[in-house]
């Protein structure tokens, strides 16, 4: 069969358009390789990366990044596929899914339209409300998608296959799709890198670096993550030789010099981490790597860090979440020990690697004091040698427990409706408007990543300063001016909020 796989363009805010790192369709790349191995004729269009430099203002502050619909439709028309598969990792891609699915059916009503990835997996019935979408592949698709194609070839209804949801079986329990998981990851082909727009991606990423996944599933249930729905169950790992072969392939054929581990299970098991990094060191691959997620600080002892460094480790991102123990444990459902995090930051620095500390601001139900606790903690980590900080908005995305919490508090949540513009209200808490949280985020992002000001802030706040009522003034009023929220001002602001913004 002729299969056209498409990564959709994305719709983002002005601010995101300036700062977001690029996103390579690794998932679609693997699906392409699998389907090709099954003898199908495949075309892959990563319209997000391909059109990374196309920034079209579509409405208000909304920007579309990616190839234009007309261009994508023209490619579909030329290829004449029997099946079009859209990848939808981001909810903000759904408006494009809706319009492009319509284009496909206009090109030929018998083209079968299927989608997969994070968003359809988390809310399949919602996606099947789009009249031009015929089926959703839930979670891992390497086993189920080829079966769907076979059913189509045989003229059968694929809706009842495990891991597939179509209009005739909308009631499927999405948790049952775990039966489709790939048991032995080493049986997977490498992603079809030859079909991915790597040159464009390298340009967007600022060098020959590429995401790499050493595992699937992490067994934890952090409230901000939807991964357990995609890769359910305990961690499964690619073997160390599989990883080194992937590295060699990418180095030899595409000149890649830097690898970004993006999987959640990278270091959730000390033995497995030792096996991987011992192997990479022994292979002497002459590459560097960074870990952008999946770093479990509790297992990072000196011996592991030494071998990580020796195998090319350069930078590690610690997904800390919050400096407030309540938010960390009760809201984000993370079992981190903040004291250990401090120790580990120093240890990573001592081992010769840099550290990026990631915080989520605006989690449902957090108070202004708890935001300060995060800033204070970030501050402490600064003094332990951390030099990069990522402050993200704690958005209650589909498939996450944060969303359940936000809904329970009566907060708005991201939706795929055309009025996606509600986006800006999504991280408001009882104490702070979404706009204020964004301001704090922007200021913290700027100040914490700037060397000069850190010295200034150090004098003002002091390492290890406890959160006191005065801190609000000491920290922000003197360093990063922004509206100081005293009781009276807060009341005025509350009145100024849109009715639907009020808690
Ligand atoms: C690693 C990662 C990143 C990396 C990029 C990795 C990359 N590929 O380049 C970085 C750190 C840059 C990143 C950035 C962001 N990310 Co991110 N990211 C992820 C993560 C953890 C894994 C994505 C990935 O590459 N997976 C590996 C591949 C192998 O898996 P996969 O794509 O799911 O594909 C499999 C299946 O889904 C399926 N499949 C996928 N597509 C299709 C299509 C068809 C037709 C079929 C049949 C099957 C199929 O088959 C594949 C193999 O089984 C996901 C988590 C998740 N649940 O998806 C979040 C996730 C996608 N990110 C998210 C977010 C919010 C962001 C940011 C906005 C964060 C920020 N504020 O900066 C940015 C946006 C970047 C951008 N340019 O738009 C959210 C999206 C939420 C939403 N509903 O919109 C997710 C879901 C995390 C979450 N909160 O739960 N991200």
């Amino acid at each position: 069969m002729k299969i056209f796989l498409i990564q959709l363009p994305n719709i983002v805010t002005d601010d995101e358009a300036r700062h977001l790192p690029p996103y390579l369709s690794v998932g679609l790349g693997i699906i392409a390789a699998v389907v090709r191995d099954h003898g199908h004729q495949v075309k892959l269009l990563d319209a997000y990366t391909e059109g990374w430099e196309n920034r079209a203002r579509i409405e208000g502050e909304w920007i579309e990044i990616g190839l234009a619909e007309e261009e994508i439709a023209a490619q579909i028309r030329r290829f004449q596929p029997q099946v079009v598969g859209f990848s939808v990792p981001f909810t903000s891609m759904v408006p494009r899914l809706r319009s492009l699915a319509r284009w496909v059916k206009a090109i030929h009503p018998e083209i079968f339209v299927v989608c997969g990835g994070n968003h359809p997996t988390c809310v399949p019935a919602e996606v099947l409300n789009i009249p031009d979408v015929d089926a959703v592949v839930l979670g891992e698709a390497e086993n189920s998608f080829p079966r769907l194609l076979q059913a189509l070839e045989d003229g059968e209804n694929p809706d009842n296959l495990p891991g597939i949801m179509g209009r005739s079986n909308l009631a499927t329990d999405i948790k049952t799709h775990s039966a489709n998981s790939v048991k032995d990851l080493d049986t997977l082909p490498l992603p079809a890198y030859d079909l991915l727009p790597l040159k464009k991606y390298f340009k967007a990423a600022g060098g020959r670096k590429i995401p790499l996944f050493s595992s699937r599933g992490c067994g934890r249930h952090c409230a901000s993550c939807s991964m357990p729905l995609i890769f359910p169950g305990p961690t499964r790992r690619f073997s160390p030789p599989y990883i080194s072969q992937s590295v060699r392939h990418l180095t030899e054929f595409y000149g890649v010099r830097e690898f970004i581990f993006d999987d959640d299970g990278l270091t959730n098991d000390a033995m497995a981490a030792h096996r991987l990094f011992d192997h990479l060191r022994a292979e002497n691959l002459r590459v560097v790597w960074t870990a952008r997620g999946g770093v479990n600080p509790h297992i990072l002892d000196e011996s592991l860090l030494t071998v990580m460094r020796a195998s090319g480790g350069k930078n590690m991102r610690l997904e800390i979440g919050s400096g407030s123990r309540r938010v960390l444990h009760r809201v984000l459902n993370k079992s981190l020990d903040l004291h250990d995090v401090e120790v580990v930051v120093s240890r990573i620095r001592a081992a010769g690697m840099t550290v990026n500390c990631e915080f989520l601001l605006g989690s449902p139900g957090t108070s202004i004091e708890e935001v300060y606790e995060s800033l204070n903690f970030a501050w402490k980590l600064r003094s332990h040698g951390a030099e990069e900080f990522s402050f993200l908005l704690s958005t209650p995305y589909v498939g996450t427990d944060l969303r359940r919490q936000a809904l329970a508090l009566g907060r708005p949540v991201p939706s795929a409706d055309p009025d996606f513009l509600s986006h800006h209200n999504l991280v408001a808490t009882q104490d702070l408007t979404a706009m204020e949280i964004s301001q704090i985020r922007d200021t913290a992002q700027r100040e914490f990543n700037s060397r000069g000001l850190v010295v200034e802030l150090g004098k003002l706040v002091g390492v290890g300063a406890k959160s006191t009522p005065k801190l609000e003034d000491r920290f922000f009023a003197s360093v990063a001016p922004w509206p100081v929220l005293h009781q009276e001002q807060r009341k005025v602001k509350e009145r100024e909020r849109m009715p639907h913004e009020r808690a």
Side-chain angles (χ1 to χ4, degrees), residues 426-447:
L426 299 177
V427 291
T429 69
Q430 71 271 28
D431 277 3
L432 295 155
T433 62
M435 189 59 87
E436 286 159 351
I437 303 239
S438 296
Q439 267 179 295
I440 299 180
R441 195 273 310 262
D442 293 348
T443 310
Q445 188 66 29
R446 198 176 53 244
E447 305 299 331

Side-chain angles (χ1 to χ4, degrees), residues 5 10 20-24 26-28 30-31 48 52 85-92 114-119 137 139-142 145 201 211 213 216 224-227 230-231 262 264 292 392 397-398 400:
L5 298 173
N10 201 5
L20 283 184
Y23 186 93
L24 185 69
V26 184
L28 215 47
I30 301 180
I31 298 302
Y48 191 19
W52 186 252
F86 290 109
S87 186
V88 198
F90 302 104
T91 299
S92 48
V114 52
C115 40
N118 171 68
H119 182 83
V137 178
E140 261 175 272
E142 288 88 348
F145 191 47
Y201 176 78
F213 293 81
R216 286 185 178 183
S224 61
C225 184
S226 58
M227 213 51 161
I230 308 281
F231 299 143
D262 262 333
D264 298 322
R292 197 156 46 177
L392 304 180
Y397 290 114
V398 289
T400 66

